[in-house]
Amino acid sequence: MQIYLDGQFVDSAEAKVSVFDHGLLYGDGVFEGIRLYDGNVFRLVEHLERLEYSAKAILLTLPLTRQELIDATCETCRRNKLRDGYIRLVVTRGVGDLGLAPWLCAKPTLFIIAGTIQLYPPEHYEKGLRIVTVPTRRIGPAALPPAIKSLNYLNNILGKIEARQAGALEGIMLNEQGYIAECTADNLFIAHRGVLHTPAGSQGALLGITRDTVFALAAELDLPVRETNLTRYDVWCADECFLTGSGAEVIPVVALDGREIGSGQPGPVTQRIRAAFRQRVTTDGVRL
Ligand code: PMP
């Protein structure tokens, strides 16, 4: 596998970063997880826009322009002869000393990995996920804005461990006020009486690219979407629930905390959104 690393393509065995890299020492950096579908880098421009905003928010100057990032991403896929896959684009603060000081890091480290991934086993797209609410609360916007897709994922990792301990593949994280923020690596939607609801960014949700795609699809399908405060009750008593993420795509949720949602089967709204999403993945983006 060929990895893009700071302007060069190197074999994965040679793709190494320093132990003094602040991405490793402090989680100081930003990243994107992007999908490639039949030679189409899905919503690459939107991902790069979010990367640029994440970098701006942490006062990190990206080492490449938008076009250079597009070219490097596509070239990484081409060199690996990939038509379908998962792309991880990471920019760290770079090599510094053992103190926090980001201003002592001379230049950011940028690498792009293009590989394959399957997040959820296929049967869950048919039958739906049974998920739980995890005890760890999502870090709030006052501490670390959730819109920043940073390398600090420990908060989500704790949630992920708790979901697994409860026998679930994904878990809902509440914010400090007890409203739903998102899942550990996916955004959450409910459908109730013909309206889609999802937590706002201010509640602790990452502004997911898939979430944003669902907004666009819902508008085309004449389904109103509301960004709103959601409690666990709202999900227990919703008609339908689904999760969105680059890895997960659009996946139905059929139970939360042991309560079946709606009919306990993937619902018609979720299926319509998922079908519309699948149609879009090969056309909406940048072709290799
Ligand atoms: N929330 C979190 C915490 C995530 O890490 C992700 C990405 N896996 C998402 C939501 C979904 O975002 P996207 O649709 O951009 O992949």
Side-chain angles (χ1 to χ4, degrees), residues 70 125 151 180 218 270 281:
I70 292 173
Y125 291 90
L151 295 178
I180 292 170
T270 304
V281 293

Side-chain angles (χ1 to χ4, degrees), residues 21-273:
D21 194 296
H22 280 210
L24 175 62
L25 287 176
Y26 297 116
D28 185 354
V30 294
F31 77 102
E32 285 296 321
I34 310 162
R35 288 289 289 272
L36 173 68
Y37 293 96
D38 195 24
N40 181 54
V41 188
F42 183 59
R43 291 204 147 204
L44 178 57
V45 169
E46 288 81 353
H47 277 285
L48 294 178
E49 193 172 59
R50 184 172 67 183
L51 183 81
E52 288 161 6
Y53 288 143
S54 294
K56 179 175 192 174
I58 69 162
L59 295 114
L60 172 69
T61 305
L62 292 177
L64 298 184
T65 63
R66 170 88 60 93
Q67 190 57 49
E68 288 167 341
L69 286 168
I70 292 173
D71 294 344
T73 304
C74 292
E75 185 59 18
T76 310
C77 296
R78 285 193 290 261
R79 292 232 177 181
N80 290 288
K81 300 192 168 42
L82 278 177
R83 298 294 297 169
D84 291 275
Y86 181 84
I87 303 157
R88 177 57 58 88
L89 197 168
V90 180
V91 188
T92 79
R93 190 74 66 176
V95 173
D97 67 16
L98 291 179
L100 285 180
W103 51 89
L104 297 180
C105 301
K107 66 175 182 59
T109 303
L110 193 161
F111 57 88
I112 305 170
I113 306 167
T116 51
I117 179 186
Q118 169 115 67
L119 209 70
Y120 292 111
E123 66 264 25
H124 293 293
Y125 291 90
E126 303 298 321
K127 292 192 200 145
L129 290 173
R130 305 179 75 84
I131 66 171
V132 292
T133 308
V134 299
T136 295
R137 297 295 174 105
R138 187 78 179 95
I139 290 177
L144 183 64
I148 302 174
K149 197 161 170 61
S150 85
L151 295 178
N152 273 273
Y153 256 59
L154 203 47
N155 180 229
N156 311 62
I157 289 166
L158 292 179
K160 183 94 183 162
I161 292 169
E162 290 161 352
R164 184 181 158 91
Q165 285 172 339
L169 292 179
E170 185 50 293
I172 288 182
M173 300 186 81
L174 306 178
N175 63 23
E176 288 290 345
Q177 287 71 44
Y179 293 109
I180 292 170
E182 58 179 345
C183 289
T184 69
D186 300 306
N187 290 115
L188 176 137
F189 284 80
I190 60 169
H192 198 56
R193 299 190 175 144
V195 179
L196 293 178
H197 303 262
T198 193
S202 55
Q203 296 299 328
L206 176 76
L207 302 175
I209 303 298
T210 320
R211 172 183 184 271
D212 196 52
T213 309
V214 168
F215 286 2
L217 296 173
E220 289 170 24
L221 296 170
D222 268 337
L223 275 168
V225 185
R226 297 200 187 125
E227 293 184 83
T228 179
N229 292 350
L230 290 177
T231 63
R232 296 199 298 158
Y233 168 89
D234 296 320
V235 183
W236 297 335
C237 300
D239 294 335
E240 299 180 33
C241 177
F242 61 88
L243 309 183
T244 64
S246 296
E249 302 181 337
V250 175
I251 186 160
V253 173
V254 294
L256 171 64
D257 304 327
R259 282 93 159 164
E260 304 237 308
I261 298 167
S263 66
Q265 305 285 324
V269 174
T270 304
Q271 279 165 340
R272 276 170 75 201
I273 296 272

